[in-house]
Amino acid sequence: MAEPRPLPDDLQHRAFSRADAERAGVGQGRLRRRDIRRPFHGVQIVSSFGTLRERCTAYRVRMKPGQSFSHQTAVLLQGLPLARAFEEELDLHVAVVMPGRAPTTRGVVGHRIRIAPPVVDLGGLPVVRMDEAWAQMAPLLAVDELIELGDAVLWADRELLDAMRAAAHVPYRPAGDRLRKALREIRRGCASPGETRVRLLLTRAGIREPELNAEVYLPGEVVHPDLIWRDRMVAVEYEGGDHLEREQFQYDIQRYERMREHGWTVIRVTADQLRGPRASALIRRVKALVG
């Protein structure tokens, strides 16, 4: 069988509709050739189609006015952390405001919502803003997971706290009580879910609130420890997966040593210290130092 005739340049590297193909002079016979995939009803593509953004860009071709990417799709598009199960989900989540009809095509989970959400443009993709995406995840996440996600929202944009409070009080919000409970312990300044988990472990044990990623001035250098109690010169640093690169690891070790040289006590914490007897030992140690 002969190789299919190349598509016009305008259609080579993007998803397109049948109407786009018709305007470009591409007939229906060409659209039936095996090199053209159909990820969604009415959408054709010959270029890459693997990442979340690529899937969303393809679906954008058939989105109607007023629709936006929502829920876990919006969370992940904006670089916020979620459990691996959500990251591996292939279906896209798309919201529409009532009385609009939610999409029902293959590969898409449609949602009808009562109030128009704040929407941002991410490279041509309409995406519900982070505060709304956080609130939409309430039925799917436990309170502590909502706290971790909420901390991540405020790390990305410190000014969204009031918007998160408003989102949690939207009438008929699914699991709104869970959001409002999470808000009591959401804080600005945690750069990772691991840091949030350390903070919750310590403060729930009665240890007073630390400063989070605050400036500490050393001679010739400013550092930002994860949690500090400045009056006692105590710092707690969470060692997560983002510390695996050798260059970053070496820098952290040197930074801890410089802090210790100038009177700071630095406690390094790993994930296995956040549960069981090791968590209890960590609590006792920090409590003894912080008072």
Side-chain angles (χ1 to χ4, degrees), residues 37-56:
R37 290 173 289 171
R38 297 166 186 82
F40 307 104
H41 180 71
V43 178
Q44 286 73 220
I45 190 169
V46 293
S47 56
S48 178
F49 179 75
T51 68
L52 175 63
R53 177 170 287 276
E54 287 168 347
R55 299 199 306 276
C56 290

Side-chain angles (χ1 to χ4, degrees), residues 204-224:
R204 287 173 176 175
I207 296 171
R208 56 192 167 97
E209 293 268 353
E211 294 180 68
L212 304 172
N213 280 282
E215 294 180 337
V216 171
Y217 293 89
L218 302 177
E221 182 181 13
V222 179
V223 297
H224 298 81

Side-chain angles (χ1 to χ4, degrees), residues 7 20 25 30 36 38 52 63 73 79 86 102 109 117 157 178 181-182 226-227 252 256-257 259 267-269 284 288:
L7 292 172
D20 293 331
R30 177 64 181 88
I36 293 181
R38 297 166 186 82
L52 175 63
M63 287 184 82
T73 301
F86 293 109
V109 178
D157 188 339
R178 201 176 301 174
K181 186 174 181 180
D226 296 340
L227 296 81
D252 286 343
Y256 303 153
E257 290 305 313
M259 291 183 68
I267 302 172
R268 300 169 64 189
V269 179
R284 289 194 298 271

Side-chain angles (χ1 to χ4, degrees), residues 229-259:
W229 291 264
R230 194 180 299 272
D231 59 332
R232 297 302 178 93
M233 298 185 72
V234 173
V236 171
E237 291 276 6
Y238 179 73
E239 304 287 358
D242 54 345
H243 289 72
L244 294 179
E245 292 187 15
R246 182 174 181 81
E247 185 176 336
Q248 178 67 42
F249 181 78
Q250 292 295 335
Y251 171 78
D252 286 343
I253 294 295
Q254 294 167 10
R255 175 164 56 93
Y256 303 153
E257 290 305 313
R258 288 192 296 273
M259 291 183 68

Side-chain angles (χ1 to χ4, degrees), residues 2 17 22 25 36 43 70 79 105 119 125-126 130 144 164 201 210 238 289:
S17 66
E22 185 176 338
I36 293 181
V43 178
S70 64
T105 191
V119 174
L125 301 177
M130 287 184 285
D144 281 10
M164 292 170 68
L201 174 71
Y238 179 73
L289 290 167

Side-chain angles (χ1 to χ4, degrees), residues 271-284:
D272 60 350
Q273 291 175 266
L274 302 183
R275 54 187 177 272
R278 298 194 69 186
S280 300
L282 173 64
I283 291 168
R284 289 194 298 271

Side-chain angles (χ1 to χ4, degrees), residues 5 7-11 14 16-27:
R5 177 169 55 87
L7 292 172
D9 290 345
D10 181 51
L11 304 183
R14 69 176 181 90
F16 56 91
S17 66
R18 288 195 179 97
D20 293 331
E22 185 176 338
R23 283 191 292 268
V26 178

Side-chain angles (χ1 to χ4, degrees), residues 157-173:
D157 188 339
R158 295 176 61 90
E159 304 306 314
L160 285 179
L161 181 57
D162 287 343
M164 292 170 68
R165 290 172 177 149
H169 287 84
V170 167
Y172 306 106
R173 169 76 73 184

